[in-house]
């Protein structure tokens, strides 16, 4: 295995490794959440485009398990509100992802600096 | 719908090994690794349980939000005093029209085959409460997962360290022999 020449793992190192593990977990959660949000945003955009093209004055808007007859104006408003909400969420997720990868890079530098080849922080 | 957090089992925390030699105290490395492996499996099982719990909660969240939007719509239409036309599902593949006006109450599915009729405003309060509860439970689950993740990582590192220590020691004694 590794030829760690007496590099002792200190409690602080262990803390760093643990933090890295948790960040990596969060990283994957964030990615999954962002995929979901992206789909939602795409769907909302499609809906909004369709609404712009249609001549119908009434459209059916999904609420719960039902479709409710909304006039086009109301539907547009609802979609805009939903888009704004999803976009805010998306921005928050993006920001957190950036912070997470930043912190991971910092920890990588410290840990590789100390342990070199004796530690592997990459995904398979 | 409202349910308290996890089935809390007490799981012993993973200990960080300060010094491998002192920790082994003359015991054979394989036996100690095997012992750690036992706790490792325990942690992994607990982690899996918690992740499942979290997934369940995550699935509930959009359900509650969906119900809340529907009730909010009913409230809005009641306040505007207009009637609304709905297509609702009668059975699979069949939808029927319904005119909804002057709605005062709504039936909420509480689970366990129970449905209860609530005045609209009370339904909103209840659903909001459930939403808050669900979010809180998610927070707890997140914290629990983080803790167990620390145990898992610590144990992994401990096992690797003992293994490496043992390899080094064997090499050392072999070098002396030859």
């Amino acid at each position: 295995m590794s030829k760690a020449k007496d590099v002792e793992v200190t409690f602080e190192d262990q803390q760093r490794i643990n933090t890295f593990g948790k960040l990596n977990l969060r990283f994957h959660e964030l990615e999954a959440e962002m995929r979901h949000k992206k789909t939602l945003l795409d769907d909302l955009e499609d809906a909004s485009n369709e609404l712009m093209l249609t001549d119908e004055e009434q459209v059916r808007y999904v609420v719960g398990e039902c479709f409710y007859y909304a006039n086009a104006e109301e539907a547009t408003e609802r979609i805009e509100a939903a888009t704004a909400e999803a976009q805010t969420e998306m921005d928050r997720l993006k920001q957190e992802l950036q912070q997470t990868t930043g912190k991971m890079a910092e920890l990588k530098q410290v840990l590789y600096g100390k342990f070199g080849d004796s530690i592997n922080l990459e995904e398979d | 719908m409202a349910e308290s957090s996890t089935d809390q089992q007490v799981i012993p925390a993973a200990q960080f090994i300060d010094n491998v030699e002192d920790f082994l105290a003359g015991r054979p490395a394989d036996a100690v690794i095997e012992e750690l492996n036992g706790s490792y499996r325990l942690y992994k099982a607990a982690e899996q349980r918690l992740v499942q719990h979290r997934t369940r909660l995550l699935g509930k969240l959009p359900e509650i939000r969906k119900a809340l939007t529907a009730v909010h719509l009913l409230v809005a239409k009641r306040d505007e005093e207009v009637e609304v036309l709905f297509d609702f599902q009668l059975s699979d593949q069949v939808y029927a029209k319904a005119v909804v006006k002057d709605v005062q109450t709504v039936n909420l599915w509480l689970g366990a085959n129970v449905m209860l009729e609530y005045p609209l405003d009370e339904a909103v309060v209840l659903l909001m409460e459930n939403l808050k509860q669900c979010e809180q439970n998610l927070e707890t689950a997140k914290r629990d997962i983080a803790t167990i993740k620390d145990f898992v990582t610590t144990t992994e590192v401990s096992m690797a360290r003992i293994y490496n220590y043992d390899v080094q020691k064997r090499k050392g004694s072999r070098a002396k022999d030859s």
Side-chain angles (χ1 to χ4, degrees):
Chain A
M1 262 187 81
S2 57
K3 18 181 208 306
K5 14 184 193 344
D6 290 341
V7 193
E8 269 309 314
V9 182
T10 64
F11 184 66
E12 285 72 36
D13 294 328
Q14 180 70 69
Q15 297 298 101
R16 283 189 198 104
I17 298 172
N18 286 356
T19 311
F20 186 87
K22 279 182 286 186
L23 286 172
N24 190 44
L25 196 71
R26 184 72 194 133
F27 174 77
H28 287 286
E29 280 171 17
L30 284 168
E31 273 194 333
E33 273 181 59
M34 284 172 75
R35 267 200 304 280
H36 272 119
K37 279 277 173 284
K38 178 85 176 58
T39 322
L40 178 64
L41 279 169
D42 286 348
D43 287 350
L44 284 168
E45 197 187 334
D46 283 350
S48 142
N49 287 341
E50 287 301 325
L51 260 177
M52 262 188 275
L53 291 174
T54 185
D55 298 326
E56 304 276 337
E57 275 178 22
Q58 262 200 336
V59 292
R60 265 156 279 183
Y61 197 95
V62 182
V63 175
E65 311 288 326
C66 305
F67 298 89
Y68 119 78
Y69 287 71
N71 59 45
E73 215 174 297
E74 192 182 348
T76 313
E77 272 169 29
R78 279 178 168 267
I79 286 174
E80 273 167 10
T83 310
E85 197 190 315
Q87 193 57 56
T88 319
E89 270 291 287
M90 188 66 160
D91 292 344
R92 193 187 60 76
L93 290 172
K94 264 189 200 150
Q95 209 187 351
E96 199 187 333
L97 189 82
Q98 221 170 22
Q99 283 167 356
T100 308
T101 40
K103 277 189 224 149
M104 280 169 80
E106 270 172 42
L107 283 170
K108 262 189 192 176
Q109 208 174 9
V110 176
L111 288 170
Y112 276 133
K114 176 159 181 191
F115 296 106
D117 289 342
S118 307
I119 196 166
N120 179 20
L121 303 169
E122 310 303 323
E123 309 265 346
D124 307 325
Chain B
M1 269 182 163
E3 82 186 10
S4 61
S5 67
T6 19
D7 45 318
Q8 281 295 343
Q9 271 187 333
V10 182
I11 292 166
Q15 296 300 325
F16 172 71
I17 303 174
D18 254 334
N19 180 301
V20 180
E21 192 171 354
D22 293 351
F23 182 78
L24 284 177
R27 289 176 294 173
D30 344 348
V32 178
I33 290 181
E34 197 34 61
E35 200 180 296
L36 282 175
N37 208 7
S39 349
Y40 181 70
R41 277 195 293 267
L42 190 74
Y43 294 149
K44 271 301 199 189
E47 184 187 30
Q48 213 177 355
R49 258 204 320 278
L50 285 168
V51 169
Q52 265 168 15
H53 178 64
R54 178 174 174 274
T55 315
R56 239 191 351 263
L57 289 172
L58 275 178
K60 247 165 70 172
L61 215 52
E63 289 293 317
I64 301 175
R65 289 223 175 90
K66 204 158 90 175
L68 201 53
T69 351
V71 179
H72 272 314
L73 180 74
L74 289 175
V75 172
K77 297 302 162 186
R78 177 199 62 188
D79 292 347
E80 287 171 40
E81 292 178 353
V82 290
E83 56 174 56
V84 201
L85 193 58
F86 276 95
D87 281 347
F88 70 99
Q89 199 171 31
L90 202 54
S91 79
D92 283 349
Q93 330 291 347
V94 182
Y95 283 81
K97 277 197 172 74
V99 177
V100 173
K101 68 173 180 189
D102 197 22
V103 180
Q104 298 302 330
T105 60
V106 67
N107 297 297
L108 291 186
W109 181 256
L110 298 183
N113 282 329
V114 179
M115 200 180 230
L116 213 55
E117 188 174 11
Y118 287 92
L120 283 185
D121 300 306
E122 276 180 40
V124 172
V125 174
L126 180 73
L127 286 170
M128 292 283 235
E129 196 56 45
N130 281 346
L131 191 66
K132 212 174 80 196
Q133 186 70 48
C134 192
E135 276 164 353
Q136 270 169 8
N137 288 347
L138 262 174
E139 267 317 300
T140 318
K142 227 165 110 176
R143 268 206 309 279
D144 290 350
I145 290 174
T147 311
I148 206 90
K149 175 85 182 152
D150 276 354
F151 294 173
V152 167
T153 319
T154 307
T155 313
E156 276 171 355
V157 172
S158 295
M159 286 194 289
R161 285 171 65 203
I162 295 174
Y163 183 87
N164 286 345
Y165 170 83
D166 194 44
V167 171
Q168 291 292 324
K169 214 176 88 179
R170 277 167 207 266
K171 257 195 216 153
S173 64
R174 217 178 301 140
K176 250 180 265 160
D177 287 348
S178 55

